[in-house]
Amino acid sequence: MLVGVGLATFIGVKTFKENITLFRSPSDIVAGKVKDGTRFRIGGMVVENSVQRRSDNLDIKFDLTDHANTVTVSYNGILPDLFSEGQGIVAMGQLDTDGMFVASEVLAKHDENYMPPEVAEALKKAGKMPGTSANFGAQTLVQP
Amino acid sequence: MFKWLHRFGSAPFVYRFSGALAPWVGGACAVLLGIGLYLGLFVAPTDYEQGESYRIIYVHVPAAIMSMFVYMVMAISSAVFLIWRMKLADAVAQAAAPIGASFTFLALVTGSLWGKPMWGTWWIWDGRLTSELLLLFLYLGYMALRAAIEQPQSAARAAAVLAIVGVVNIPIIHYSVEWWSTLHQPATITKLKPSIHESMAVPLRFMIFGFLFLFGYVLLVRLRTGILQREARASWVAQLPEIMRFNALAPAADSQAVSPSKHSETKHG
Amino acid sequence: MAEFFNMGGYAAFVWPSFGITFLVLWANVWFAKNQFKRVTRETARRSAMTRAKKQARAS
């Protein structure tokens, strides 16, 4: 019983300490809301046609956007199956001196839509692909 | 109407009623899960983005929805118990707790098995996953509290208070994906316009109702057990056919073979 | 058939999910039924004993 309460409190405190939001948006970074040298998570959409891969190793670079601001992310490691351009991702890492985000982990944040491939194809053609209501730094999107 | 309601406060009536109802609920559960499993694994199309891995939705989402639904059943029963001193409501809450804990466990494990291939991690401390884990601890805490307090009346009351306080976690689980940035995606089906294709939603509905009926069945069986335990000394219990049947078989054997065993010792103690 | 079991390469995640789910669902039913049987038996034994005591006192 005590162990249970202790664990619950521990988790509660841990979450609040690490901030209840899991990741910061590119706009947060551009606005300088993240202290230099801290490790944190960044989330956003991989910009179309921005992914640069090296042929000889796993190095990858891509731009991450919240549709207001963009941050370049570099990463060396295994990417989740869902990683692609236009995909939502959450990366862990820190900013280097040039303002580039050096990631040590990249996770895919998939959206809430489920459909067969044919339907997705048809919707894409009609330009009616549903978006996500995910909280991708929505606050920053509304702000000027 | 009031009379009809009143009968649900009567232990013998609820015991017999749930005994009659249970086989039907169990049968419906088997049919629903059978159809849901067949449709989900064989008929539902593949997902445009997640491929075949999305089929985990057919066990993950029902478990997750039911983990919250069962908690609400437990909390409302606890409130009824505290307000109207209805012992049967406490029996319902007690019967629901382990079922809810098992659904929460399933939601976490299947979610983890889904997260690894899709997100790239088994676990992350985001709002949704953390609050669902907290739900598991609430269930376990509820059960541990009941077990820890010896006096049944105070155990029931303390556990009921815990169950009611824990209700704040339910909206947190549901809205975590909207309030905060999480790795977990927002709601798919629990909104006005579900964002899942009909061909994939039909099997999911069968599975959700299958889980609901399974909860119903197990709850009824556990509730009957709880009533028997609470009313063991009542004369209506002694006259139950299932008790009489044992009595008819037992007395001769009881006095010789059974009485030196540990069963009779615990009864006197 | 092999394609079905392969689950598009996600067999290692899909099948354990379904496996553990149905194992836990089955365990829910099994433990509930088993506990009911045990409690019925204990209650019957107890009521038989009280009846025997009453009879002994009466005779």
Side-chain angles (χ1 to χ4, degrees):
Chain A
M1 180 58 213
L2 271 175
V3 175
V5 172
L7 259 173
T9 325
F10 169 75
I11 290 166
V13 170
K14 187 181 159 71
T15 332
F16 273 95
K17 257 194 178 162
E18 285 185 4
N19 206 340
I20 220 152
T21 48
L22 183 71
F23 52 80
R24 315 304 296 260
S25 65
S27 294
D28 285 345
I29 291 156
V30 170
K33 283 188 189 165
V34 182
K35 265 183 264 159
D36 284 344
T38 50
R39 276 175 63 77
F40 63 97
R41 283 200 168 90
I42 184 175
M45 295 280 191
V46 180
V47 176
E48 300 278 351
N49 304 319
S50 76
V51 177
Q52 305 165 39
R53 290 173 199 267
R54 293 271 298 258
S55 52
D56 51 335
N57 61 24
L58 287 172
D59 276 350
I60 185 171
K61 244 190 226 177
F62 54 88
D63 292 342
L64 203 61
T65 182
D66 57 2
H67 305 298
N69 287 289
T70 302
V71 166
T72 305
V73 177
S74 80
Y75 177 61
N76 177 300
I78 295 158
L79 289 162
D81 292 4
L82 277 187
F83 182 89
S84 65
E85 293 179 341
Q87 172 72 47
I89 65 124
V90 175
M92 180 79 179
Q94 61 193 83
L95 291 169
D96 70 3
T97 44
D98 304 326
M100 185 159 73
F101 189 85
V102 182
S104 56
E105 180 193 54
V106 172
L107 303 173
K109 176 175 166 60
H110 63 75
D111 64 26
E112 65 272 36
N113 303 308
Y114 298 89
M115 63 188 94
E118 315 87 71
V119 176
E121 205 54 49
L123 284 175
K124 238 177 241 169
K125 258 185 203 157
K128 283 184 182 159
M129 201 60 177
T132 177
S133 66
N135 193 337
F136 268 123
Q139 312 91 321
T140 46
L141 279 181
V142 207
Q143 281 165 14
Chain B
M1 172 67 192
F2 212 74
K3 228 178 192 173
W4 183 83
L5 258 174
H6 191 74
R7 288 162 78 190
F8 279 93
S10 131
F13 173 76
V14 172
Y15 180 85
R16 292 199 188 93
F17 182 78
S18 41
L21 194 63
W24 296 97
V25 177
C29 161
V31 171
L32 287 166
L33 286 181
I35 296 173
L37 204 55
Y38 170 74
L39 292 178
L41 286 175
F42 295 96
V43 180
T46 185
D47 182 61
Y48 79 111
E49 203 178 44
Q50 302 190 41
E52 305 296 334
S53 77
Y54 97 94
R55 290 185 200 278
I56 295 175
I57 200 175
Y58 294 120
V59 287
H60 175 72
V61 166
I65 288 181
M66 288 306 294
S67 73
M68 293 189 272
F69 178 82
V70 175
Y71 196 90
M72 288 315 294
V73 169
M74 191 173 99
I76 291 167
S77 305
S78 297
V80 170
F81 167 65
L82 283 187
I83 297 166
W84 289 291
R85 310 262 154 147
M86 210 168 135
K87 276 187 203 158
L88 274 172
D90 175 55
V92 170
Q94 186 180 21
I99 315 171
S102 75
F103 285 156
T104 313
F105 169 78
L106 280 180
L108 289 167
V109 171
T110 56
S112 187
L113 281 162
W114 197 0
K116 184 61 188 169
M118 288 299 109
W119 298 340
T121 184
W122 299 102
W123 183 264
I124 192 159
W125 293 100
D126 80 353
R128 173 57 72 81
L129 276 65
T130 308
S131 54
E132 182 74 12
L133 182 65
L134 195 65
L135 182 68
L136 181 63
F137 288 136
L138 280 169
Y139 278 122
L140 297 179
Y142 177 92
M143 292 190 283
L145 194 57
R146 289 202 84 111
I149 303 175
E150 243 168 79
Q151 216 275 315
Q153 274 298 311
S154 8
R157 232 168 286 142
V161 171
L162 175 69
I164 292 165
V165 171
V167 163
V168 292
N169 191 38
I170 298 295
I172 292 179
I173 297 175
H174 184 76
Y175 292 107
S176 56
V177 287
E178 289 175 29
W179 290 342
W180 309 306
S181 62
T182 55
L183 188 61
H184 195 285
Q185 70 276 20
T188 293
I189 55 164
T190 51
K191 55 187 184 187
L192 282 174
K193 213 166 157 283
S195 45
I196 180 168
H197 194 259
E198 195 56 21
S199 58
M200 298 161 152
V202 170
L204 187 54
R205 270 178 229 135
F206 273 101
M207 292 303 284
I208 292 170
F209 280 99
F211 271 61
L212 180 67
F213 276 71
L214 186 120
F215 165 62
Y217 176 78
V218 178
L219 183 77
L220 290 175
V221 176
R222 282 195 176 278
L223 178 61
R224 300 184 86 214
T225 312
I227 293 174
L228 273 188
Q229 283 169 329
R230 284 170 171 76
E231 304 264 316
R233 284 163 205 284
S235 58
W236 71 267
V237 167
Q239 279 152 23
L240 285 171
E242 53 266 42
I243 302 288
M244 299 283 273
R245 198 175 58 225
F246 271 112
N247 275 352
L249 299 171
D254 222 36
S255 51
Q256 303 163 358
V258 181
S259 52
S261 79
K262 61 180 175 190
H263 281 291
S264 50
E265 280 164 30
T266 48
K267 253 169 264 161
H268 292 298
Chain C
M1 207 59 194
E3 199 186 334
F4 171 72
F5 283 111
N6 185 41
M7 275 289 150
Y10 294 115
F13 304 99
V14 174
W15 295 121
S17 296
F18 278 79
I20 192 160
T21 299
F22 279 86
L23 183 75
V24 169
L25 294 186
W26 174 83
N28 255 306
V29 173
W30 191 85
F31 279 111
K33 279 182 147 179
N34 206 45
Q35 192 199 18
F36 178 72
K37 267 185 220 149
R38 207 185 61 232
V39 170
T40 312
R41 218 176 296 135
E42 278 165 14
T43 312
R45 206 170 279 149
R46 197 178 298 171
S47 88
M49 270 168 58
T50 36
R51 200 178 47 180
K53 265 184 213 160
K54 264 185 207 157
Q55 275 169 357
R57 225 173 289 147
S59 60

